[in-house]
Every structure is written in C-alpha cells, then in structure tokens.
Amino acid sequence: MPASPPDRPALFVVQYRWPLSRDADVRAAYATHRADVDRLGRDGGLWMIGTLPAVEGWSCAMAVFRSEPAARAFRDEDPLFTAGLATPSPVQSWSPLTFQW
C-alpha cells in the first residue's frame, strides 16, 4: 500500500433533495430538468446523475460533474432549483479512488 494517496483528479458533487410531498411537482417539472441535465451531459461536464434512497420524508438525488463550473451551473440554473422545488447542497469536491479490474 502506498504511504500517501496518489494524486487524482477531483470530481464535483451536488446532492439535492425535495420533500416527498412535492414528488408530483418535481415529476411535472422533470422535462425541463432533464433538458438541463442533457445539456450539461452533452457539454461534457456532467458525468452521472441519479436518485438516492428517500430519507426521513425527503426524496434525494446526486449529480457528479467533471468540472466545478459545470457543477456550479447545475446548482445555480437547474429548473428544479430556480423554481424552488428542490434544494441543492453546496458544490463539494470529491477525489475518488478508482479501480480497474
């Protein structure tokens, strides 16, 4: 095992959530959210996105980006957030250790 972690490129994570009671509103706004997600994916900044298990009355999701500017654009401009339907976390830097088998 190496004495110190290797240098690895950082990814950037935005977690977000909305009350389970607003699921219908979020589903109604999904097309505009998906268009924003698709744009970020085409631009190469968004790597992956998906839902997480619900926690204590909240639906949860997470998006992983290749660049901090793309993560900030998502957090600041996605229709779910600008419409007040979901609440994003601050952009978090993440340096995962990956394995190739």
Side-chain angles (χ1 to χ4, degrees), residues 2-4 9 46 60 62 78 82 92:
S4 64
L46 177 62
C60 305
M62 181 174 75
D78 187 273
T82 60
Q92 301 169 37

Side-chain angles (χ1 to χ4, degrees), residues 14 36 69-79 81-82 88 91:
V14 176
D36 188 56
R72 290 189 186 287
F74 175 70
R75 186 203 58 206
D76 295 343
E77 301 168 11
D78 187 273
F81 311 140
T82 60
V91 173

Side-chain angles (χ1 to χ4, degrees), residues 47-72:
W47 184 37
M48 59 181 145
I49 190 167
T51 57
L52 299 165
V55 176
E56 299 177 4
W58 294 87
S59 290
C60 305
M62 181 174 75
V64 181
F65 297 86
R66 291 183 178 93
S67 74
E68 188 171 7
R72 290 189 186 287

